[in-house]
Amino acid sequence: MSNLSKLPVTVITGFLGSGKTTLIRHLMQNPQGKRLAVVVNEFGDVGVDGDILKSCAIPDCPAENIMELSNGCICCTVADDFIPTIEALMALDPRPDHILIETSGLALPKPLLKAFDWPDIRSRITVDGVIALADAEAVAAGRFAPDVARVDAQRLADDSIDHETPLSEVFEDQISCADIILLTKPDLAGPEGVAKAREIIAAEAPRPLPVVEVAEGAVDVRVILGLEAAAEDDMEARPSHHDGADDHEHDDFESVVIELPEQSDPADLVARIERLANERNILRVKGYVAVSGKPMRLLVQAVGARVRHQYDRAWKAEEPRLGRLVVIAEHDDIDAAAIRDFLTRMPAVVE
């Protein structure tokens, strides 16, 4: 079967909070005649991203075309979760024209590509392309390689020691696997930050890659869909830190779900999340919160100490008005009791 007759799949990868869900929401709302389906892979068991996308469903991408795989990595659950999900989407009537897969922000994309080599789907699916999103401000700030000069000095002193952090490895693997890089939030980075981020990406990329600046997910669908990259046949050009390993681990990262009672002041909660990120090295916080006297649910999305919140929809009659936030960090930085104290009892400002 030729690639032209196979169902194209686009893998959308990128670090935590880089804007993957915002991009997919834009694609859903501007499909240019394509009937889309979406697979969302969450890290943690609160389906925030899938819920956001389902609220944006339109005829060309109805809610039944949006499926979630929560609390697990797609590439680690191929037989049990991934293949049945893809087959369910292919069985829809009418069948989607294109499938988008949003990976977890902690996912390594190359093992996922290997899943497309399974006989059950290889003859019917092709990976049209891998799109990697990179937060321009975060990349420019060097958050994926703390104290670069010191690391370089240590490498010169001892070639046998690998001083890369887990975060930098995730970032580098995502860049190495990509066909196009979308540089998000360029307005926050400014011209100098964007230029610096471009330099870092060019240094990490194994081959020249197009880099497109994107604000609020607004990119022409024709730029990122229809690449016909057949990435499943191009694995050697996409090096990974984990090449040669039989499997890969996610033990570097951990998540905890914190339940919150109704909040009286969203600004106070935001201040708590900012302190939590700064004092306990938290990477990501996302979820929903009930605010006293408000019929709408408050959506909270934080990347480090940068917190965004908005009312997204009314609470349903059958839903308990109970907030749930997923907190994600490197393994050694997760202390459920301490995190719960920050978010529920500790004052926002200590005099």
Side-chain angles (χ1 to χ4, degrees):
M1 183 180 291
S2 70
N3 283 339
L4 292 178
S5 60
K6 293 180 179 181
L7 180 61
V9 173
T10 294
V11 175
I12 299 176
T13 187
F15 201 70
L16 293 161
S18 60
K20 299 186 297 296
T21 303
T22 301
L23 172 66
I24 293 178
R25 183 167 52 191
H26 172 78
L27 296 177
M28 288 171 56
Q29 295 171 342
N30 300 273
Q32 296 195 356
K34 293 181 182 292
R35 186 173 178 85
L36 301 177
V38 180
V39 178
V40 181
N41 187 209
E42 294 265 30
F43 190 92
D45 65 357
V46 177
V48 177
D49 295 343
D51 205 3
I52 293 171
L53 294 176
K54 287 177 182 177
S55 71
C56 302
I58 60 174
D60 282 328
C61 189
E64 59 266 25
N65 283 30
I66 303 169
M67 296 191 177
E68 296 176 79
L69 297 176
S70 297
N71 205 24
C73 174
I74 294 175
C75 51
C76 296
T77 58
V78 175
D80 294 335
D81 296 320
F82 178 60
I83 288 180
T85 298
I86 293 295
E87 289 183 334
L89 290 176
M90 294 181 69
L92 290 172
D93 185 15
R95 193 182 85 156
D97 299 314
H98 204 113
I99 297 176
L100 309 175
I101 297 180
E102 176 189 347
T103 72
S104 151
L106 301 176
L108 303 176
K110 190 168 180 178
L112 173 57
L113 295 189
K114 293 179 180 178
F116 288 93
D117 200 35
W118 276 57
D120 288 346
I121 61 174
R122 180 177 176 82
S123 62
R124 297 179 289 163
I125 294 280
T126 183
V127 182
D128 182 70
V130 179
I131 313 300
L133 278 66
D135 182 317
E137 183 185 40
V139 174
R143 294 176 191 161
F144 308 118
D147 201 345
V148 176
R150 187 176 181 182
V151 169
D152 287 343
Q154 288 174 327
R155 283 177 177 162
L156 290 174
D158 187 350
D159 291 337
S160 68
I161 300 177
D162 182 4
H163 296 282
E164 294 295 327
T165 68
L167 296 185
S168 69
E169 288 192 5
V170 172
F171 173 72
E172 290 162 14
D173 275 19
Q174 290 171 347
I175 296 298
S176 295
C177 200
D179 295 290
I180 290 180
I181 309 295
L182 299 187
L183 199 57
T184 62
K185 305 170 188 165
D187 53 324
L188 298 179
E192 292 185 2
V194 167
K196 179 62 175 177
R198 285 178 174 272
E199 289 178 7
I200 293 171
I201 290 169
E204 297 296 347
R207 59 196 182 283
L209 293 173
V211 178
V212 179
E213 295 175 35
V214 175
E216 297 299 328
V219 62
D220 193 317
V221 173
R222 296 170 297 180
V223 173
I224 60 175
L225 301 187
L227 300 180
E228 299 182 11
E232 69 275 16
D233 295 328
D234 189 29
M235 303 292 269
E236 294 300 321
R238 305 168 192 267
S240 164
H241 286 280
H242 300 80
D243 284 341
D246 292 332
D247 201 352
H248 67 281
E249 300 293 338
H250 297 281
D251 293 342
D252 293 326
F253 306 99
E254 191 172 335
S255 69
V256 61
V257 177
I258 305 298
E259 294 188 347
L260 298 176
E262 288 194 11
Q263 302 292 300
S264 59
D265 184 2
D268 181 71
L269 176 63
V270 168
R272 294 169 189 267
I273 294 172
E274 290 172 347
R275 284 194 61 214
L276 175 67
N278 288 327
E279 297 182 25
R280 300 202 65 87
N281 300 319
I282 299 303
L283 301 174
R284 191 83 160 92
V285 177
K286 58 182 180 178
Y288 302 106
V289 175
V291 178
S292 300
K294 299 290 185 181
M296 301 289 286
R297 189 178 67 172
L298 188 70
L299 168 66
V300 178
Q301 299 256 32
V303 183
R306 192 169 68 215
V307 186
R308 299 177 68 176
H309 59 95
Q310 65 189 63
Y311 292 101
D312 71 324
R313 68 164 174 81
W315 287 93
K316 298 176 182 177
E318 67 275 14
E319 287 181 315
R321 288 176 59 89
L322 180 69
R324 300 188 80 207
L325 295 178
V326 179
V327 180
I328 305 172
E330 293 189 53
H331 178 78
D332 291 343
D333 292 321
I334 286 288
D335 180 331
I339 292 170
R340 188 172 291 105
D341 283 343
F342 264 90
L343 295 178
T344 60
R345 292 195 291 274
M346 188 172 289
V349 178
V350 178
E351 298 295 341

